[in-house]
Amino acid sequence: MEYGDSSPGEYVVRREVLDESRLDVVAQKGTWSIKPTVGDRVKEMLRCSAPRLKDVLLARIPVLAWLPKYSFRENIIGDVISGCSVGIMHLPQGMAYALLASLRPVLGLYSSFYPVLVYFIFGTSRHISLGTFAVISIMVGSVTERLAPDSNFMVNGTNGTESVNIAARDSSRTQIACSLTVLTGIFQILLGVVRFGFMVTYLSEPLIRGYTTASACHVCVSQLKYLFGVKPARFDGPLSLIYTLVEICRLLPQTRVPELVVSVVALSVLIVAKEINDCYRQKLPLPIPIELIVIVAATIITYFCGLRSEYFIDVVGEIPSGLKPPRAPDTTLFSKMIGDAFAVAIVGYAINISLGKTFALKHGYKVDSNQELVASGLCNTIGGFFRCYAVTSSLSRSLVQESTGGKTQVRNKFINPALGCCAFPQAVLSTIVFVNLKGMFKQFIDVPMLWRTNKVDLLVWLVTFVSTILLNLDMGLAVSVSFSMLTVLFKTQLPSYSILGNVPGTDLYLDTEAYREAKEIPGIKIFRSSATINFTNAESYLESLQEKSGIDIGKLQTEKKKREALQKRNQKKEKKREKDEAKKNVWMKNSQNGVVLSMTDADPNFPDKGQVNWAYHPDRVTLDSDSNTYEEITTVSHQDELGKHSNCRSGTHSIILDVSMISSLDTVTVKTLKNIFRDFGEVGVAIYLAGCQACVVEQMERANFFSDSIPKSWLFVSVHDAVLRVLQTLQPETDVMLDSSCNTHM
C-alpha cells in the first residue's frame, strides 16, 4: 500500500484489489487464538492467590477500594452538607411513601436508614440516594392490600357496628411487606451473581419513562382519598384505577371540608417553596427543607388547635422511637408473591441503574451493573429483616445530593432519621407525595418530542403508559416489556434495503435514492440491507434483492426450463428428421436400381398390409416430418429470444451483496446465501460478497460455505474492490470505466 501526496482534507491510497483469499496473505491472517480455552478459564476461576483474593474483595465490597483513598480536604464539606440535605428529605418522604405501601409511616423511616448503610458498603454509584420511592411503594402497597385487605380484620363494635382492627392489620401488612422485600432482594442477588445485569438493556428509556409516568398516575389516584377525606371501596385487577377514580368522583359530595382546607393550604405552600428552590437553586447554599417545615408546622397547629378532636381530621398518630431488633420473614408467603417480587426487583433495579449510569457519565466514573444488582439485593434482603420494605434510588433526592456538593457515599453516614411522636394530618403527607411527583408528570413532554424524533419509541411509551394504567403495575410491566421486544423483532424483520451507487471520483457507495450524486454502475447492482440477516428476515432479503435488482428468479427459471424442454423436443425431432432423410435417400438410391421395398421394410411403425411402392408417396416424409419440425424450431427460436430479452431487459450481469451489516450467521442465512449464488448463477448473473467481517468469515468456513462453486475469491474486502474486479474481468467486453482518480487511486 502506498500513500500519495494530497491536499488537506483529502487522501490518496494505492493498493491492489483484495479479495478474501488475497487479504489472508497480505494481512498475514493467523490461525492462532488469543482467547483462553475452557480449561484455562476453569483453572483461572479455581486458582486462589493473594492478588486474586484482593481483586475479588475489592470488586464485591467496593467500599474497601475507595474509602482508604477518601480525601477529607476535598470531599468532607460537600458530603456533610449533602448528607444533611438528603437526610432532611428522607424524613417526610419516608413517612409519606409508606402510606403508598399501606404501611405505618415508621416503616418508611426504617427504609430510609438501614438500606442506605448497606449501600454505603456494597454500592458503586457515588451520587444516587437509595431509599423509599413512589413507584416501588405503590407496587408494595398493591401486594399488602391484596393479601391483607381490611375485610380480613373487621371486628364488632360496642354499638353493633363493625370497625377495622388497625393494630392487627398493620402487623400483618408489615410481615407481608418484609417478606416481599426479602424475596425481592434474593432475586436481585441471584441475578447479580449470574451476571444478569445486562437485562436492564431490554428496559428502554421510553419504556421506563412511560412506566414511571403511569405509576405516578396510580400514586395520585391512591392519595386522592386523603386529600378529600373520603373512603372509597378498594378495587383489584385490571381497570382498578378507573374504578377507583369513578368511585372517588361519586363520593365527592361527601368531601370533608377541614381536610380539604388543610390539603389546599399545604399544597400551596409546598408548590411555592419548590418553585423558589428551582428558581434560586444556584444562589441558595441549601434548598429550603419545605417538607420538614410543613410537617413541623402541621404538627404544631394540629396539636394546639385541636384539629383532631374538634374537626376529626385523620392524623398519622404516634411514631415509635428507637430501632427494632431484626425479625425473620414469613417464608410461607413467598409462594403468593413470587411474580410481584420479581416485578419489584426488575423495576427497582432499572430505576437504580439508570440514575446511577446517568450520574456516572456526567462525573466520569464507572458503575458496575452486576455489582449494583447485588448491592440492591443486599439492601432489600438485609432491610427486610429490620422491617424495611423494598427500596430504590430517588430522582429528587439524588439531584439534591448532587447539587449540594455530595461526591461520595460518605454522606450517607450523616443520615439519621429522628423518630418520635408525630401527630400530624395524613393529608399533609399526601400533598408531599403530590408535589414530589412533579418530575414524573413532566415526562408527558416526551410525547411530542418522540413524535418528532422516533415514532417507534413513541409507540413503546404510549403502549407502556396505557397498559400500566389499565392493567395495573405488574401486568402492565409484562405487557410493556413484551411489546418492546416485539418492536425489536419487527425492526429486524423489516429492515430497509437499498441499491448503492458510486459517487464519482471516490470509493464511496451510497444509497441512490438518498444521494443524487450516487450513480449506478451499468451492469452491476450493489445491494445492501440495513440490518443483519437471520432466520426471521432471510426470505424478505431474497425477495427484496429480486425486486431491487429487477431480476425475477422464478420467472427466469421457468422460462429457462421451458426453453430446455423445447430444445430437447426439437433435438428429438431433428434426429427423427435426419433418420427419415437417411431412409429416403436409401429408398431413392434403391429405386433407381430397380429395387422395390415393402412398407414393412421401410417403416416398421406401419402395420403389415401388403407391399407399397414408395414411388407413389414421394412427399410423405417431408410433409409429415418437416412441417412439424419447422413449427417447433420457430417456437424454440422465439422462446430463446424471449429469454434473452428478459435477461437483457435489466442489463445486469453482476450483483454485489454488501454484507457488512451481518454480525453472525445462522443455518438459514447460510442456506439463503448459497441459494442466491446457485439461482442467480443459473440465469447468468454473477454474485459477489463484500465487506464481510472476520468473525463471519470464520463462521462461513465452519459451515462449509465456500466450495468449488463458491470460491473464497468471490468475497472482497470492500464494495470498491468487488466493483474493480468485476470491471477488470469484463473490460474486454465493455467500455464502462469507473472514475476513481480524484481522491482514491486503486
Side-chain angles (χ1 to χ4, degrees):
M1 180 182 294
E2 298 179 1
Y3 295 90
D5 296 333
S6 60
S7 60
E10 298 180 347
Y11 70 91
V12 177
V13 179
R14 295 180 183 273
R15 64 168 175 83
E16 63 176 302
V17 176
L18 296 176
D19 56 33
E20 193 65 30
S21 300
R22 183 57 182 161
L23 177 66
D24 294 346
V25 177
V26 173
Q28 299 183 6
K29 181 180 180 180
T31 58
W32 62 86
S33 176
I34 60 175
K35 296 181 179 179
T37 62
V38 176
D40 293 337
R41 288 198 294 266
V42 172
K43 290 180 181 179
E44 181 65 22
M45 291 174 60
L46 298 178
R47 184 174 61 87
C48 184
S49 62
R52 178 174 175 77
L53 179 61
K54 179 181 177 181
D55 293 340
V56 171
L57 288 176
L58 294 180
R60 294 300 180 186
I61 310 177
V63 69
L64 299 178
W66 63 265
L67 188 58
K69 303 176 183 178
Y70 182 80
S71 175
F72 281 87
R73 178 177 300 178
E74 297 179 2
N75 301 327
I76 191 63
I77 296 178
D79 285 340
V80 170
I81 296 175
S82 175
C84 294
S85 303
V86 175
I88 291 173
M89 292 184 66
H90 266 291
L91 295 176
Q93 287 188 5
M95 292 185 292
Y97 290 155
L99 294 180
L100 299 179
S102 298
L103 301 171
R104 291 182 298 166
V106 67
L107 270 69
L109 297 178
Y110 293 156
S111 300
S112 302
F113 180 67
Y114 289 108
V116 171
L117 299 181
V118 176
Y119 189 82
F120 169 80
I121 300 173
F122 297 100
T124 60
S125 176
R126 304 174 189 174
H127 293 88
I128 64 172
S129 174
L130 213 70
T132 56
F133 188 60
V135 175
I136 300 298
S137 298
I138 197 171
M139 293 180 74
V140 173
S142 65
V143 180
T144 57
E145 291 187 4
R146 187 184 76 243
L147 298 182
D150 290 343
S151 58
N152 292 356
F153 304 93
M154 302 300 295
V155 294
N156 293 325
T158 56
N159 55 355
T161 60
E162 290 186 344
S163 61
V164 179
N165 188 341
I166 301 296
R169 184 200 64 182
D170 290 348
S171 177
S172 178
R173 289 182 176 180
T174 299
Q175 187 71 15
I176 293 171
C178 293
S179 300
L180 176 67
T181 302
V182 171
L183 186 57
T184 298
I186 292 174
F187 277 133
Q188 291 176 329
I189 292 174
L190 292 177
L191 293 175
V193 169
V194 299
R195 308 190 67 80
F196 211 62
F198 70 90
M199 66 182 300
V200 74
T201 58
Y202 293 100
L203 302 177
S204 62
E205 183 179 359
L207 187 149
I208 293 176
R209 293 176 71 86
Y211 184 80
T212 53
T213 305
S215 301
C217 295
H218 278 277
V219 172
C220 284
V221 173
S222 68
Q223 295 302 293
L224 289 176
K225 60 183 179 182
Y226 297 112
L227 268 64
F228 294 102
V230 296
K231 296 182 179 180
R234 182 181 179 275
F235 299 94
D236 292 321
L239 300 179
S240 60
L241 178 69
I242 307 300
Y243 295 146
T244 302
L245 190 59
V246 172
E247 178 72 3
I248 291 175
C249 293
R250 187 182 66 83
L251 296 175
L252 284 180
Q254 304 176 18
T255 300
R256 300 176 63 182
V257 177
E259 294 199 6
L260 181 61
V261 171
V262 170
S263 301
V264 172
V265 172
L267 197 60
S268 302
V269 173
L270 288 169
I271 291 175
V272 172
K274 288 285 187 180
E275 290 299 321
I276 294 175
N277 281 338
D278 291 340
C279 294
Y280 299 98
R281 61 179 179 272
Q282 301 295 337
K283 299 180 179 180
L284 293 174
L286 290 175
I288 301 173
I290 188 60
E291 292 98 340
L292 187 61
I293 294 174
V294 168
I295 287 178
V296 173
T299 303
I300 295 174
I301 294 173
T302 301
Y303 180 77
F304 287 102
C305 296
L307 298 182
R308 181 179 185 183
S309 58
E310 294 186 15
Y311 299 100
F312 304 102
I313 291 179
D314 292 333
V315 297
V316 172
E318 183 179 356
I319 297 179
S321 59
L323 301 175
K324 301 294 183 180
R327 184 177 63 177
D330 186 0
T331 57
T332 60
L333 297 172
F334 285 177
S335 60
K336 302 178 182 179
M337 56 180 65
I338 290 179
D340 301 287
F342 190 77
V344 173
I346 298 301
V347 174
Y349 172 67
I351 297 171
N352 196 49
I353 195 63
S354 60
L355 283 178
K357 287 190 173 182
T358 300
F359 289 116
L361 182 64
K362 181 178 181 179
H363 294 277
Y365 63 91
K366 184 179 180 181
V367 172
D368 188 340
S369 58
N370 291 298
Q371 180 60 27
E372 283 295 299
L373 198 50
V374 173
S376 299
L378 290 173
C379 290
N380 286 320
T381 302
I382 296 175
F385 284 87
F386 290 91
R387 293 176 175 80
C388 301
Y389 69 90
V391 296
T392 188
S393 55
S394 167
L395 176 60
S396 59
R397 292 195 305 268
S398 299
L399 290 174
V400 169
Q401 175 180 310
E402 183 209 22
S403 62
T404 52
K407 297 181 180 179
T408 68
Q409 289 293 331
V410 168
R411 53 107 177 89
N412 286 331
K413 304 299 288 184
F414 301 98
I415 298 176
N416 183 23
L419 308 180
C421 180
C422 294
F424 53 88
Q426 287 185 343
V428 174
L429 289 183
S430 297
T431 58
I432 293 175
V433 172
F434 268 99
V435 174
N436 285 316
L437 292 176
K438 173 186 174 183
M440 292 189 188
F441 284 121
K442 281 185 175 180
Q443 294 175 159
F444 276 112
I445 64 175
D446 292 349
V447 174
M449 185 270 293
L450 292 175
W451 173 262
R452 294 189 302 269
T453 57
N454 193 314
K455 291 182 174 56
V456 175
D457 286 343
L458 172 63
L459 194 59
V460 172
W461 197 101
L462 292 176
V463 170
T464 301
F465 179 81
V466 173
S467 61
T468 305
I469 289 290
L470 299 180
L471 303 178
N472 286 346
L473 297 174
D474 47 359
M475 294 179 62
L477 178 63
V479 172
S480 304
V481 173
S482 301
F483 182 79
S484 180
M485 295 299 295
L486 283 177
T487 60
V488 176
L489 180 61
F490 285 139
K491 286 179 182 178
T492 59
Q493 277 195 303
L494 302 173
S496 61
Y497 300 101
S498 56
I499 293 294
L500 306 185
N502 177 254
V503 179
T506 72
D507 60 346
L508 301 178
Y509 292 84
L510 307 176
D511 186 357
T512 55
E513 296 181 358
Y515 296 89
R516 183 180 301 175
E517 288 299 318
K519 306 297 182 182
E520 285 191 51
I521 302 171
I524 301 177
K525 293 287 185 180
I526 306 171
F527 181 74
R528 182 176 65 188
S529 170
S530 63
T532 187
I533 311 174
N534 52 45
F535 68 94
T536 63
N537 59 9
E539 184 176 354
S540 64
Y541 181 86
L542 178 57
E543 293 175 354
S544 298
L545 173 60
Q546 296 182 65
E547 179 184 353
K548 291 288 186 179
S549 63
I551 300 176
D552 190 338
I553 293 296
K555 183 178 180 181
L556 293 180
Q557 287 180 337
T558 301
E559 293 176 354
K560 182 181 178 182
K561 289 179 180 179
K562 289 181 179 179
R563 291 196 306 271
E564 291 177 349
L566 289 173
Q567 187 176 4
K568 288 181 180 179
R569 289 197 296 268
N570 178 56
Q571 290 176 353
K572 293 176 66 176
K573 292 290 185 180
E574 184 69 21
K575 288 181 180 180
K576 184 177 180 181
R577 188 184 67 80
E578 292 176 356
K579 183 178 179 181
D580 292 340
E581 286 289 343
K583 290 181 179 181
K584 178 181 177 182
N585 292 335
V586 172
W587 176 81
M588 294 293 294
K589 182 178 180 180
N590 291 334
S591 64
Q592 292 176 0
N593 295 331
V595 179
V596 179
L597 299 177
S598 66
M599 181 73 175
T600 306
D601 294 335
D603 193 348
N605 294 325
F606 278 82
D608 188 5
K609 294 183 180 180
Q611 295 182 350
V612 179
N613 191 338
W614 280 93
Y616 292 98
H617 302 275
D619 298 329
R620 180 190 181 281
V621 175
T622 304
L623 293 176
D624 293 348
S625 177
D626 288 357
S627 61
N628 294 336
T629 304
Y630 175 80
E631 181 181 356
E632 295 294 342
I633 291 174
T634 304
T635 305
V636 171
S637 176
H638 174 72
Q639 294 291 344
D640 286 341
E641 291 297 326
L642 181 62
K644 183 177 180 182
H645 177 70
S646 177
N647 270 330
C648 295
R649 182 168 50 194
S650 64
T652 301
H653 54 72
S654 302
I655 293 179
I656 300 173
L657 304 180
D658 184 355
V659 292
S660 58
M661 297 300 296
I662 297 180
S663 57
S664 63
L665 288 178
D666 54 22
T667 56
V668 176
T669 305
V670 172
K671 290 181 180 178
T672 301
L673 292 177
K674 285 184 176 181
N675 292 339
I676 289 174
F677 274 90
R678 181 198 63 200
D679 296 341
F680 280 86
E682 289 179 353
V683 297
V685 179
I687 301 294
Y688 303 92
L689 302 180
C692 196
Q693 302 180 42
C695 61
V696 178
V697 175
E698 294 178 0
Q699 294 176 8
M700 288 180 170
E701 293 173 341
R702 290 196 298 267
N704 297 322
F705 178 81
F706 300 108
S707 61
D708 294 337
S709 59
I710 308 178
K712 201 173 183 180
S713 58
W714 289 0
L715 176 58
F716 292 89
V717 175
S718 66
V719 173
H720 199 53
D721 287 86
V723 170
L724 293 179
R725 178 58 56 84
V726 173
L727 294 180
Q728 290 172 2
T729 304
L730 300 176
Q731 191 168 3
E733 304 176 8
T734 180
D735 296 331
V736 177
M737 297 295 294
L738 183 64
D739 181 13
S740 58
S741 58
C742 292
N743 292 335
T744 305
H745 297 273
M746 305 297 291

